[in-house]
Amino acid sequence: MAKDAKPRVKVPKSAAAGEVVTIKALISHNMESGQRKDKDGNLIPRSIINRFTCDLNGVNVVDVTLEPAISTNPYFEFDAKVDAAGEFKFTWYDDDGSVYEDVKPIAIA
């Protein structure tokens, strides 16, 4: 398990109804491709973030499948239309079964 995984998300505090806002999401994670060996010659198990999702009030905004070539600390920037106040829920899925989440509120101005 990547104990050092830490999500960081930037969401505007508020938006006008119907406004499109830019969301920024990053997770600090030491990605391991599963192709390197440790000092004893044993393969280091693959440990990557293999999926990232974002929902607004339970409706999916983005769903990305990631492959082993993804960089360490994957960063996403995307737009989302905000029709009502609520919460953005961000979820990162790790190969080892770990799930990392963050929730950010957004108000209607």
Side-chain angles (χ1 to χ4, degrees), residues 1-2 5 7 27 29 49 90-92 94 96 98-102:
M1 178 168 148
I27 188 163
H29 185 283
I49 298 295
F90 304 88
T91 309
W92 293 262
D94 195 316
D96 68 9
S98 298
V99 177
Y100 310 98
E101 296 180 338
D102 199 358

Side-chain angles (χ1 to χ4, degrees), residues 14-57:
S14 64
E19 182 179 355
V20 175
V21 298
T22 299
I23 309 295
K24 298 176 182 179
L26 177 140
I27 188 163
S28 297
H29 185 283
N30 293 329
M31 306 291 240
E32 186 56 61
S33 70
Q35 298 176 13
R36 292 186 327 125
K37 294 182 179 179
D38 64 15
K39 64 181 179 178
D40 298 322
N42 300 312
L43 279 178
I44 299 170
R46 184 174 115 158
S47 176
I48 68 166
I49 298 295
N50 58 47
R51 185 174 174 213
F52 168 72
T53 63
C54 173
D55 297 335
L56 173 57
N57 296 332

